[in-house]
Amino acid sequence: MRAVVYHGANNVTVENVEDPRIEDPNDVILKITSTAICGSDLHMYEGRTKAQPGMVFGHENMGIVTEVGPGVARVRKGDRVSIPFNVACGFCKNCFAGNTGFCLTVNPNFAGGAYGYAAMGPYRGGQAEYLRVPFADFNCLALPPGDELEDDFAMLADIFPTGYHGTALADVRPGESVAVMGGGPVGLMAAYSAMLIGAAKVFVVDRVPGRLRLAESIGAIPIDFSKGDPVMQILDQTNGDGTDKGVDAVGYQAHGTGGEEQPALVLNSLVEIVRATGRIGVVGLYLPSDPGAPDEHSRHGELLFKAGKFFEKGQRMGTGQANVKAYNQQLRDLIIAGRAKPGFVVSKRLSLEEAPDAYARFDRREDGYSKVVLKPAA
Ligand SMILES: NC(=O)c1ccc[n+]([C@@H]2O[C@H](COP(=O)([O-])OP(=O)(O)OC[C@H]3O[C@@H](n4cnc5c(N)ncnc54)[C@H](O)[C@@H]3O)[C@@H](O)[C@H]2O)c1
Ligand SMILES: [Zn+2]
Ligand SMILES: [Zn+2]
């Protein structure tokens, strides 16, 4: 089959790899209909993770089941399913508690597995024609048959639940104000989720014009950080009080106004923006090691975080990979009911063969490349 293969910094190609096969009785094989490129892939693409050459990327997968292992009870051949980016077993302590992003069974390196992601276990990604899904009864989310709402459902594998998770970590309540740092697909989904929950005022901070326009189109207040300190801009628009809650949808590759990387910038901005006793949800990625970091400390994931201010303000922070399964059924049902349309972020639908060009353009945050969905089956 054809697949997107990583070869080193800024180098992915589409090539022939071995077809996946049933390796365990609980596996299914999926024919991929939609697989999205994520900001998380860009950290690997830029050589800023431990990703090894030869890896197949792709953790935002959906498709049609083509083969079913003998131990699978519920999923059937022909089912249309969305696959959470987390690989999870369903029976460990963390899975039982709903924390499927921290499964203790699937990854020898640390708690939590994913498809096609550096250090997150031996699972090949789905930017390919076919994908093997382990523990299929637990991991497959059933979708209505056919091909309706494909863009919306394609957002269920990662960014819609992840954006929602950001608001859940920050405990966003109706009527509150929320600052979302980052207007990439994840930030837009966090802002959209905050709206669904009933937040009164949602700010989205970024500098890419098309992304700020999208934020405005869903009713958020765009803040362009290239036009001045976003902390001051948001304090000005909240009577100097700051917001009730904040979401980090940027992570360690945060840029300062001058374009230089400052790994702790967004965390520290949120400590300033969010009011005393407010909460901060961090879904933007931070890593324990970063080979391309700007200084020695951040190469080991040690950042200059304003712990003193954070303590003084009595803030709370939640972090980590999103537990997609904690939200994907409910968010799917909101889509089916016509109450949520997360597919508004999708800006391009391309063939698998177009992936290398799409990676380069998305990496430059070119307008029109906010969320690219690849269509291997088309
Ligand atoms: N926790 C999870 O489960 C999870 C899941 C998916 C993605 N992520 C992470 O979420 C982050 C965002 O992903 P994305 O797909 O939206 O990608 P993205 O990289 O396109 O979005 C990041 C955005 O942040 C903006 N930005 C950069 N510096 C900024 C600053 N100082 N202030 C405000 N905005 C700034 C960029 O212009 C960009 O638009 C990534 O770190 C990704 O790895 C986490
Ligand atoms: Zn993703
Ligand atoms: Zn588990």
Side-chain angles (χ1 to χ4, degrees), residues 215-239:
E216 202 168 14
S217 77
I218 57 166
I221 302 162
I223 302 287
D224 185 343
F225 75 84
S226 70
K227 302 253 163 73
D229 183 1
V231 174
M232 295 318 296
Q233 294 191 59
I234 293 176
L235 288 177
D236 280 349
Q237 295 195 51
T238 50
N239 301 318

Side-chain angles (χ1 to χ4, degrees), residues 156-202:
L156 286 172
D158 181 351
I159 65 166
F160 193 17
T162 295
Y164 195 91
H165 187 58
T167 65
L169 289 172
D171 191 27
V172 171
R173 307 276 179 104
E176 289 188 329
S177 55
V178 186
V180 177
M181 302 302 284
V186 172
L188 289 169
M189 287 294 108
Y192 192 62
S193 299
M195 302 288 194
L196 285 170
I197 293 165
K201 212 172 191 182
V202 179

Side-chain angles (χ1 to χ4, degrees), residues 87-96 99-100 102-106 135 138:
V87 182
C89 71
F91 52 74
C92 73
K93 189 175 183 179
N94 287 347
C95 282
F96 268 139
N99 296 320
T100 53
F102 301 86
C103 176
L104 299 167
T105 309
V106 296
F135 304 110
F138 188 66

Side-chain angles (χ1 to χ4, degrees), residues 36-41 59-60 85 117 157-159 162 186 371:
I37 304 177
C38 181
S40 296
D41 293 323
H59 59 269
E60 303 196 0
F85 77 84
Y117 212 85
D158 181 351
I159 65 166
T162 295
V186 172
K371 192 69 179 170

Side-chain angles (χ1 to χ4, degrees), residues 38-40 42-43 85 158 162 181-187 205-208 211 225 249-251 253-255 265-266 283-285 320-322 362 365:
C38 181
S40 296
L42 295 181
H43 303 307
F85 77 84
D158 181 351
T162 295
M181 302 302 284
V186 172
V205 181
D206 208 300
R207 63 172 171 186
V208 181
R211 296 180 172 198
F225 75 84
V250 181
Q253 286 193 268
H255 292 275
L265 177 62
V266 162
V283 286
L285 189 71
Q321 300 286 343
F362 179 41
R365 299 338 189 254

